[in-house]
Amino acid sequence: MTQLPGLLKFTPKYRTVRWGGRRIAAFKNTEPTGDHIGESWELSALPDMLTPVTEGPLKGATIPQLMEKYGRELVGEQLLYRYGCEFPLLIKFIDAEDDLSIQVHPDDILSHGHGKTELWYIIDAAPGSTIYSGLNRTLTPNALRKHIDDHSLTDVLAIHYPMAGDVFYLPAGRIHSIGGGNLVLEIQQSSDITYRIWDFDRRDKDGCLRELHVDKAIPAIDLNQTDYGLAHPQILRGYETMVKQTPYFSVTAMLVDGEMTVPVSALDSFRIFIAVEGEGTLRASDGTEMSIRCGETVMAPASTTDVRVTSGAGPLKLVTVFIA
């Protein structure tokens, strides 16, 4: 059996949606793949959007195939016990040229499996762009339904005006929407369940309104939230900053100007490296070496002892993800 290399890069899958734009290709410095590209699925184990390994001896292998052959080496002992052969995370870039619908995701109980807790790292935000994250007051289910029915839902949502580097934590149950003008890195549980609550009465090319899921959404919404999940972590050169620890994943960020060595196997988890600025090189403890540039995602399996990160001509900003 082929040995699992110390680094794995994946070929993204793109999703065309009505609210998408063309900034993902510009961000990645790649050729455009079409108009209205709203999502680049960077690392996915979901059946309809599998991301294959891009290069190396395992080129073409999907994450489920890697889990079947190398489960313990890929994710570590504790995660294999916790999740079995299911890979637990999904990584995306989102380009919102227009507003996304107002929506909510169910938790593990309501979804009868994996809920959808997520985190947004704002890569870029056009002047005046907005984010809805959470309610601005406590509501009863009946009061919430009234605001949905009379199209005044935005009156009870917390509105934010993001800037690059902002982080929004969205546990399952938090009502939210990405406004037009935002380019976002999304880290989430491996789930694609979304309950659409309101879509601003927009119609598709055939003049039809998109389906709403109000009856499912209201029981899923946390009506007693106490915060909006917003933070702006300071990322210092040469240091790793903890951005957010959640029950489902931990997120850090680092600005590398020279070299840094980042531990992996000591976490008993894989570690995902996502470049959001600059370019550089990753070298795993087994000698596997791989370039990484803005918009690329690389995984170090749990069997990798550490990864040495070297910046290119300028500083390299990385967001990393693991499960503690």
Side-chain angles (χ1 to χ4, degrees):
M1 184 170 66
T2 303
Q3 185 175 354
L4 185 66
L7 295 170
L8 295 164
K9 187 181 288 186
F10 297 87
T11 301
K13 291 291 184 72
Y14 298 101
R15 177 177 275 182
T16 301
V17 288
R18 57 173 299 169
W19 43 261
R22 297 174 63 89
R23 283 196 297 174
I24 288 176
F27 171 66
K28 289 173 167 283
N29 195 27
T30 59
E31 289 296 319
T33 55
D35 296 325
H36 302 295
I37 302 298
E39 297 180 343
S40 174
W41 290 42
E42 296 292 298
L43 199 158
S44 166
L46 294 183
D48 294 338
M49 296 290 279
L50 293 171
T51 51
V53 175
T54 303
E55 58 188 73
L58 297 175
K59 181 178 179 179
T62 63
I63 297 174
Q65 289 170 339
L66 295 175
M67 288 295 298
E68 184 178 351
K69 289 186 177 181
Y70 307 99
R72 184 173 285 99
E73 293 85 355
L74 187 71
V75 302
E77 189 75 38
Q78 57 117 355
L79 296 185
L80 189 65
Y81 177 78
R82 181 174 170 184
Y83 293 107
C85 287
E86 294 186 14
F87 190 77
L89 295 183
L90 171 59
I91 310 295
K92 299 179 187 175
F93 291 118
I94 296 176
D95 174 21
E97 186 171 271
D98 196 2
D99 298 339
L100 276 68
S101 63
I102 296 171
Q103 56 192 242
V104 71
H105 307 301
D107 61 18
D108 294 351
I109 296 173
L110 286 178
S111 65
H112 304 290
H114 294 310
K116 192 177 177 185
T117 285
E118 57 193 17
L119 179 142
W120 297 335
Y121 177 91
I122 306 298
I123 296 168
D124 188 38
S129 61
T130 60
I131 292 283
Y132 287 119
S133 175
L135 298 165
N136 62 24
R137 67 196 72 174
T138 299
L139 294 172
T140 64
N142 287 340
L144 178 62
R145 186 178 285 275
K146 182 178 184 301
H147 283 289
I148 295 170
D149 291 343
D150 66 16
H151 294 183
S152 63
L153 181 58
T154 56
D155 293 347
V156 297
L157 300 184
I159 189 170
H160 310 274
Y161 299 91
M163 58 182 179
D166 280 352
V167 171
F168 289 87
Y169 174 51
L170 302 151
R174 180 164 292 166
I175 191 169
H176 61 270
S177 173
I178 300 175
N182 288 293
L183 182 64
V184 177
L185 165 63
E186 181 175 270
I187 298 159
Q188 60 166 89
Q189 288 178 267
S190 184
S191 169
D192 200 28
I193 304 175
T194 296
Y195 297 154
R196 195 178 301 120
I197 304 166
W198 192 43
D199 196 35
F200 307 97
D201 281 344
R202 293 180 293 198
R203 296 180 181 271
D204 62 21
K205 60 182 176 60
D206 298 319
C208 299
L209 296 170
R210 286 209 291 174
E211 181 185 5
L212 301 179
H213 315 102
V214 175
D215 290 338
K216 291 182 177 179
I218 289 179
I221 295 172
D222 180 1
L223 299 174
N224 300 300
Q225 60 165 73
T226 57
D227 68 87
Y228 304 128
L230 171 62
H232 188 87
Q234 187 173 8
I235 304 170
L236 303 175
R237 289 175 187 258
Y239 292 91
E240 183 174 9
T241 300
M242 178 57 69
V243 172
K244 185 69 179 179
Q245 290 180 293
T246 83
Y248 301 101
F249 49 78
S250 296
V251 180
T252 74
M254 61 190 73
L255 187 61
V256 183
D257 192 2
E259 285 190 357
M260 285 181 64
T261 298
V262 182
V264 180
S265 62
L267 303 170
D268 195 20
S269 166
F270 58 85
R271 191 160 194 166
I272 301 166
F273 295 81
I274 307 147
V276 295
E277 184 180 307
E279 61 183 10
T281 303
L282 306 180
R283 183 177 177 84
S285 51
D286 72 342
T288 303
E289 189 168 294
M290 193 170 284
S291 65
I292 187 169
R293 66 181 186 181
C294 187
E296 288 189 329
T297 300
V298 174
M299 178 196 288
S303 56
T304 299
T305 302
D306 55 45
V307 174
R308 188 175 70 201
V309 183
T310 305
S311 61
L316 169 64
K317 185 179 287 186
L318 295 170
V319 174
T320 88
V321 190
F322 59 91
I323 300 179

